[in-house]
Amino acid sequence: MAIGDTEAFAIIQKARAAHPVQMPELKARALMGSAQGRRLIASLLRDMEGRYTVSLYDKLLSLCAWFFEYIYEPVYQADPSLLYAKNLHRFVAMYSYLWMTDDESQAQIMIEQFQRYMRSRDPADAPFLFNNSRPPLTRHGSEHPFESVLRFAYGFRDIIIADNANLGKTLPEAGRWTLDLSTSAL
């Protein structure tokens, strides 16, 4: 059974009154950092017992999946079924994840630039993706496999940029929540 908005608001207000915290929006990371916040969470869970589901997300892995969606999908949008049938989306997401969790990689730069680009839709915000004809990832004389992903983004940048530029027109709130996990969390 779902909890209606009125009941949910009442449960939250009751928990906030019993366990006051100074934050307009309840965020688990902040709440878990204090005993008062943990008591507030416990109160909410008790009052909703049997009527909630917990979903855990690895935000970096999710970002890697978005990377496929907004870099590869625009190029193959006319017929992406082959990509999905062969699980290329999973391969790119997992390979991206492996590269991004490698302490010796330049992944942090790419992640930050990709996020800025998806918010602004300005390719100048992601030079690592769109201005590298030969990405500088090679170590020890062998090509790093993620270089092919970056070369793909560089090689098809005009198509990718043109397609992603339309997100602001086709998505609610001008695509403000493009990389958000809320939709999949619902």
Side-chain angles (χ1 to χ4, degrees):
M1 169 169 71
I3 298 174
D5 289 345
T6 304
E7 184 182 2
F9 182 76
I11 290 169
I12 292 169
Q13 289 305 102
K14 177 183 164 193
R16 280 181 171 272
H19 312 284
V21 292
Q22 297 296 315
M23 60 180 73
E25 183 178 356
L26 300 178
K27 295 283 191 177
R29 174 178 274 166
L31 291 171
M32 293 302 293
S34 72
Q36 186 76 328
R38 290 189 295 276
R39 285 191 290 272
L40 187 144
I41 290 172
S43 175
L44 290 171
L45 294 175
R46 272 191 307 278
D47 287 347
M48 297 183 305
E49 187 172 344
R51 302 189 316 169
Y52 64 87
T53 300
V54 174
S55 298
L56 300 175
Y57 293 90
D58 183 321
K59 288 183 177 184
L60 181 58
L61 180 57
S62 297
L63 183 63
C64 292
W66 286 123
F67 185 78
F68 179 85
E69 182 79 16
Y70 294 112
I71 300 301
Y72 279 81
E73 181 87 20
V75 176
Y76 296 103
Q77 64 184 311
D79 187 13
S81 60
L82 177 63
L83 301 179
Y84 290 104
K86 299 297 181 185
N87 289 317
L88 183 62
H89 61 297
R90 291 183 179 150
F91 175 79
V92 170
M94 290 310 300
Y95 206 87
S96 299
Y97 183 78
L98 290 173
W99 179 65
M100 291 182 192
T101 56
D102 178 357
D103 293 334
E104 296 180 27
S105 78
Q106 296 174 307
Q108 190 62 36
I109 296 167
M110 202 281 296
I111 293 167
E112 291 169 1
Q113 289 183 10
F114 177 62
Q115 289 175 314
R116 274 195 307 273
Y117 164 69
M118 290 308 299
R119 288 184 184 103
S120 71
R121 311 304 190 291
D122 181 355
D125 285 340
F128 198 80
L129 282 171
F130 299 120
N131 291 334
N132 271 328
S133 60
R134 179 81 168 100
L137 303 180
T138 303
R139 288 190 291 190
H140 312 297
S142 63
E143 181 177 292
H144 190 290
F146 195 76
E147 288 181 27
S148 62
V149 176
L150 293 176
R151 275 198 303 278
F152 182 91
Y154 175 78
F156 290 101
R157 69 178 177 256
D158 294 341
I159 294 169
I160 296 165
I161 291 165
D163 186 70
N164 289 333
N166 290 323
L167 292 175
K169 300 172 192 156
T170 59
L171 293 176
E173 294 189 47
R176 179 177 174 211
W177 302 103
T178 302
L179 299 177
D180 192 68
L181 295 176
S182 298
T183 302
S184 58
L186 298 175

